[in-house]
């Protein structure tokens, strides 16, 4: 089989593809103990690790006893021999950029460096029909204060206190043992009932970007009650658009640019990715725009978001869509938090397969605690405290082999679905309808086994029409699905009309049956999910049964070449008897 799939690498994939763990540093950082724990993880095939500091000042009620002090010289000296051991073991070390979470505060040190200017701001009613600016009340005795990530100086101070410190002590490992910086749920102060997010120069920036003054509209935006569109709808959209621009430009891009200058991949995720309707309320403004600022975009998967036959959502495809368009190979998944005793081996495999078939291929599980003493742990966790831990080599091998396969070649995706963030910014019924269309379109395309990515206004405005295809980065789409009543940005309708005039297809939700399936299945079933990659002259299909019942079907693909099964469980290849691209397969429950 002449492809870029190396059989030896598939059998024993390198650390970059193997799953790893958040390693919660919640006790005294004793180098000998940490080295022993690292060796145990590596011996079981968990050859990625993301040390996650939990300083006592992060949340004093967390019961963490971590010493030495976070980001002190002694802190780095305690971790240095552990990182040296990771180099010897060939372990992939992800640099977690915060003490606790969310990222951006250096565990309160950014705010403490200049509280007068770095405190988060918001607007509230002044009680007389106007608005007033209020400073967030911070109490370091309760939790580490989060600075104003919209402020133009915060990212630089965060980099100085965190990233430059790691470079000073660990720079020799950059681009080698340390290849990825993990940023975790950074956010500006989210709007909430009776308040609006703000920063000191927001009014001036809004005027410069949108061409008019926002001040006269602020009482209306603050007191927004109607579920229907009114004269303030445009202002509301422009307000959230400006917040999203400032967050990306002033925080995300400076950190990404620093990482790139020093040979590191900037990866991570934002909070609540499964609810794009409220991404502004969660404090990152525009989900796809924020993900586009990462070199390794990712999602978080917790109990309330995904569970077999109870909770499912297309949100993993937000990150993989951005990665596909940018040509990034790796898509991050933070997995398994808050699942508790419901996280059985079958559920673990279901979650991994669910993510893999939607384009997520790099996994950090939550979590392994460094300190197991009473009261120090949060949640069930992995490691020696888990009674199945000695068997986890099978899970690490399966996930690593599958991830290796699904980073080969390029994704086969011909359809793009418009991601209507502006309708969500409108709020009310407009946002509800946008969410409903988004869910219905995504689910039907997945059930029809059509390869698709999401596409937003930012991508459409820079897209190029070549022949009858819409080129977005390295991807070329033949079809764009446009939900009914979409709130298009200026110029987007004209771009789509030009695409259609050139021979491209713009489909409505009623025309999804005209989007081509990646694979033909007889009898038809809505239980299977498929993704496809082209590897030279070879095609790779990953097919997943997401149901708890067995499925027996006949499969047909357009390629007429010899068929080989790549088995991530055994690490071996098997010839499959097929006839003219057709074969039968019996899928076990949750089988792939």
């Amino acid at each position: 089989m002449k492809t870029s799939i190396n059989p030896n690498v598939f059998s024993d994939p390198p650390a970059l593809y193997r799953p790893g763990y958040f390693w919660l540093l919640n006790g005294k950082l004793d180098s000998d103990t940490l080295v022993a724990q690292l060796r145990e993880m590596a011996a079981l095939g968990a050859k990625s690790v993301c040390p996650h500091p939990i300083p006592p000042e992060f949340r004093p009620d967390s019961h963490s006893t971590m010493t030495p002090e976070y980001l002190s010289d002694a802190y780095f000296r305690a971790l240095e021999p552990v990182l040296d051991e990771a180099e010897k073991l060939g372990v992939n070390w992800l640099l977690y950029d915060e003490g606790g979470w969310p990222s951006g505060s250096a565990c309160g040190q950014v705010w403490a460096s200049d509280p007068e200017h770095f405190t988060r701001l918001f607007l509230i009613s002044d009680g007389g029909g106007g608005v007033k600016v209020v400073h967030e009340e911070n109490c370091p005795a309760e939790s580490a204060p989060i600075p104003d990530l919209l402020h133009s100086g915060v990212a630089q101070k965060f980099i100085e206190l965190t990233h430059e410190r790691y470079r000073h002590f660990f720079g020799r490992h950059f681009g080698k043992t340390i290849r990825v910086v993990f940023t975790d749920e950074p956010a500006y102060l989210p709007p909430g009932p009776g308040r609006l997010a703000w920063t000191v120069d927001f009014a001036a920036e809004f005027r410069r970007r949108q061409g008019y003054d926002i001040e006269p509209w602020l009482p209306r935006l603050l007191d927004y009650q109607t579920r229907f569109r009114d004269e303030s709808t445009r202002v509301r959209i422009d307000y959230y658009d400006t917040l999203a621009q400032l967050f990306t430009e002033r925080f995300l891009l400076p950190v990404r640019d620093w990482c790139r200058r020093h040979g590191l991949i900037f990866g991570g995720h934002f909070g609540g990715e499964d609810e794009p309707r409220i991404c502004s309320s969660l404090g990152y403004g525009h989900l796809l725009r924020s993900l586009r600022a990462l070199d390794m975009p990712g999602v978080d998967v917790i109990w309330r978001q995904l569970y077999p036959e109870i909770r499912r959502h297309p949100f993993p495809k937000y990150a993989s869509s951005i990665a596909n368009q940018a040509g990034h190979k790796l898509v991050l998944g933070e997995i398994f938090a808050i699942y508790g005793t419901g996280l059985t081996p079958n559920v673990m495999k279901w979650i991994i397969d669910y993510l893999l078939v939607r384009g997520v291929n790099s996994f950090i599980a939550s979590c392994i605690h460094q300190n197991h003493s009473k009261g120090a742990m949060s949640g069930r966790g992995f490691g020696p405290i888990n009674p199945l831990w000695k068997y986890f080599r099978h899970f690490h091998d399966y996930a690593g082999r599958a991830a290796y396969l699904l980073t080969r070649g390029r994704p086969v995706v011909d359809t793009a679905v418009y991601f209507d963030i502006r309708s969500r910014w409108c709020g009310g019924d407009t946002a509800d309808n946008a969410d409903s269309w988004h869910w219905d379109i995504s689910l039907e395309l997945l059930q029809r086994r059509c390869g698709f990515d999401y596409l937003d206004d930012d991508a459409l405005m820079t897209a190029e029409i070549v022949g009858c295809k819409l080129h977005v980065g390295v991807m070329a789409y033949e079809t764009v699905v446009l939900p009914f009543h979409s709130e298009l940005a200026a110029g987007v309708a004209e771009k789509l009309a030009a695409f259609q005039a050139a021979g491209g297809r713009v489909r409505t939700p009623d025309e999804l049956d005209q989007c081509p399936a990646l694979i033909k299945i007889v009898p038809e079933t809505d239980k299977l999910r498929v993704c496809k990659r082209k590897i030279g002259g070879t095609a790779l299909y990953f097919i997943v049964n997401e149901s708890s019942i067995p499925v027996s079907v006949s499969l047909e693909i357009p390629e007429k070449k010899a068929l080989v099964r790549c088995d991530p469980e055994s690490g071996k290849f098997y010839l499959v008897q097929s006839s003219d691209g057709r074969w039968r397969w019996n899928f076990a429950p949750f089988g792939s």
Side-chain angles (χ1 to χ4, degrees):
M1 184 171 63
K2 289 188 177 181
T3 72
S4 63
I5 296 176
N6 183 314
N8 294 324
V9 178
F10 172 57
S11 177
D12 186 17
L16 186 63
Y17 306 107
R18 286 185 170 275
Y21 292 86
F22 274 149
W23 190 13
L24 298 193
L25 306 180
N26 59 341
K28 181 181 178 181
L29 301 183
D30 176 74
S31 301
D32 291 341
T33 301
L34 293 171
V35 165
Q37 291 181 356
L38 181 69
R39 288 172 178 167
E40 180 184 50
M41 284 185 265
L44 288 172
K47 300 195 75 172
S48 283
V49 65
C50 188
H52 187 318
I54 305 291
E57 61 271 24
F58 160 54
R59 291 178 183 168
D61 63 355
S62 68
H63 306 293
S64 173
T65 58
M66 192 192 96
T67 56
E69 181 182 354
Y70 179 57
L71 299 180
S72 66
D73 288 2
Y75 165 83
F76 290 102
R77 285 196 295 268
L79 291 180
E80 198 163 18
V82 191
L83 182 52
D84 290 342
E85 182 67 18
E87 181 183 32
K88 294 175 187 175
L89 296 170
V91 167
N92 178 45
W93 180 295
L94 290 87
L95 196 161
Y96 191 81
D97 70 358
E98 188 52 74
W101 69 88
S103 293
S105 78
C107 200
Q109 294 181 38
V110 173
W111 174 84
S113 71
D114 191 351
E116 179 182 356
H117 295 104
F118 290 170
T119 296
R120 299 200 288 188
L121 306 178
F122 56 96
L123 298 180
I124 62 171
S125 171
D126 65 3
V131 299
K132 62 180 179 180
V133 179
V134 178
H135 289 71
E136 183 181 36
E137 292 186 8
N138 286 305
C139 181
E142 295 178 1
S143 62
I146 301 168
D148 176 13
L149 269 56
L150 300 176
H151 192 287
S152 59
V154 161
Q156 287 69 27
K157 177 56 70 171
F158 177 54
I159 291 169
E160 173 192 326
L161 293 172
T162 304
H163 301 68
E164 285 292 347
R165 292 284 286 161
Y166 276 102
R167 185 171 75 92
H168 175 74
F169 285 93
F170 298 159
R172 68 186 183 281
H173 292 286
F174 281 11
K176 302 169 187 174
T177 302
I178 299 175
R179 283 177 280 190
V180 178
V181 170
F182 190 121
T183 195
D184 199 1
E185 301 185 5
Y188 55 80
L189 180 70
R195 74 179 188 185
L196 293 172
W198 198 250
T199 196
V200 64
D201 61 343
F202 186 87
E205 284 295 328
F206 185 93
R207 187 181 307 112
R208 183 174 72 84
R209 295 162 189 263
Q210 307 297 348
Y212 64 98
D213 292 327
I214 193 173
E215 289 95 324
W217 293 96
L218 292 174
R220 183 75 184 101
L221 296 183
L222 190 62
D223 193 35
Y224 189 86
Q225 297 294 330
T226 181
R227 292 190 60 79
F228 305 100
R229 299 173 63 88
D230 65 7
E231 69 277 4
S232 68
T233 297
R234 177 202 169 190
V235 185
R236 189 175 182 83
I237 292 172
D238 290 345
Y239 165 74
Y240 285 122
D241 189 27
T242 302
L243 281 177
Q245 290 176 27
L246 290 174
F247 176 60
T248 301
E249 295 169 13
R250 291 184 170 180
F251 183 75
L252 296 176
L253 293 182
V255 179
R256 185 192 71 181
D257 292 346
W258 183 94
C259 291
R260 288 181 175 181
R261 286 196 303 272
H262 298 290
L264 298 172
I265 297 168
F266 184 41
H269 78 92
F270 302 94
E273 297 97 341
D274 62 316
E275 301 199 49
R277 187 189 189 285
I278 61 171
C279 62
S280 292
S281 301
L282 295 170
Y284 48 85
H286 185 331
L287 178 57
L288 296 194
R289 184 181 293 166
S290 294
L291 287 169
R292 196 171 283 116
L294 306 179
D295 296 316
M296 188 178 179
V299 295
D300 188 8
V301 178
I302 62 175
W303 177 83
R304 68 170 177 79
Q305 294 169 323
L306 296 180
Y307 201 82
E309 301 186 312
I310 297 176
R311 291 177 295 278
R312 55 187 67 197
H313 193 285
F315 74 91
K317 291 186 72 68
Y318 302 147
S320 62
S321 297
I322 295 301
N324 289 347
Q325 292 157 10
H328 301 318
K329 290 291 187 182
L330 297 175
V331 183
L332 184 66
E334 179 186 328
I335 55 175
F336 298 160
I338 317 180
Y339 278 87
T341 55
L343 193 65
T344 65
N346 275 346
V347 172
M348 291 172 63
K349 182 181 183 298
W350 182 89
I351 293 168
I352 289 289
D353 288 346
Y354 190 102
L355 295 174
L356 285 166
V357 81
R358 289 164 178 79
V360 178
N361 54 30
S362 182
F363 304 105
I364 295 294
S366 184
C367 56
I368 290 177
H369 295 80
Q370 169 228 343
N371 177 12
H372 299 147
S373 62
K374 186 177 181 181
M377 294 192 299
S378 58
R380 189 177 175 206
F382 298 99
I385 63 169
N386 190 304
L388 299 179
W389 181 241
K390 62 183 178 181
Y391 303 111
F392 265 57
R393 176 81 197 209
H394 302 294
F395 164 69
H396 301 146
D397 285 347
Y398 175 82
R401 290 165 181 157
Y404 167 72
L405 289 174
L406 293 170
T407 54
R408 304 301 90 195
R410 58 178 179 82
V412 176
V413 180
D414 298 325
T415 300
V417 175
Y418 179 65
F419 181 85
D420 190 4
I421 186 63
R422 294 168 67 84
S423 287
R424 291 174 170 91
W425 286 339
C426 289
D429 289 351
T430 304
D432 291 342
N433 291 333
D435 258 13
S436 179
W437 283 119
H438 180 79
W439 169 252
D440 291 345
I441 291 168
S442 301
L443 182 60
E444 184 168 348
L445 288 174
L446 285 166
Q447 290 178 344
R448 290 182 176 277
R449 301 174 298 281
C450 302
F452 71 93
D453 286 336
Y454 292 113
L455 197 62
D456 62 353
D457 295 307
D458 293 359
L460 276 163
M461 291 307 297
T462 58
E464 296 183 357
I465 300 168
V466 180
C468 61
K469 293 186 178 183
L470 189 71
H471 286 247
V472 179
V474 301
M475 298 300 291
Y477 302 108
E478 299 175 356
T479 301
V480 174
V481 178
L482 189 64
F484 293 127
H485 313 301
S486 296
E487 182 69 38
L488 304 178
V492 169
E494 292 78 3
K495 177 65 69 74
L496 291 174
F499 169 59
Q500 203 164 12
R505 297 185 288 268
V506 178
R507 303 295 190 198
T508 68
D510 292 338
E511 300 172 318
L512 299 185
D513 59 338
Q514 299 178 45
C515 297
L518 294 171
I519 191 169
K520 182 178 179 181
I521 297 179
V522 179
E524 264 297 334
T525 174
D526 63 358
K527 310 297 184 186
L528 302 183
R529 302 289 179 266
V530 181
C531 69
K532 179 180 180 180
R533 300 184 72 86
K534 289 288 289 184
I535 308 172
T538 300
L540 177 73
Y541 291 86
F542 183 51
I543 311 169
V544 179
N545 175 17
E546 291 187 344
S547 75
S548 61
I549 62 173
V551 175
S552 181
V553 291
S554 175
L555 306 169
E556 182 177 348
I557 56 177
E559 294 83 9
K560 310 303 179 187
K561 299 180 179 181
L563 193 69
V564 177
R565 179 190 179 196
C566 309
D567 181 14
E569 293 186 22
S570 68
K572 297 179 180 179
F573 297 131
Y574 302 93
L575 281 172
V576 175
Q577 294 298 316
S578 64
S579 173
D580 200 29
R582 300 186 185 92
W583 76 102
R584 286 201 62 81
W585 201 261
N586 299 316
F587 288 91
F590 302 158
S592 58

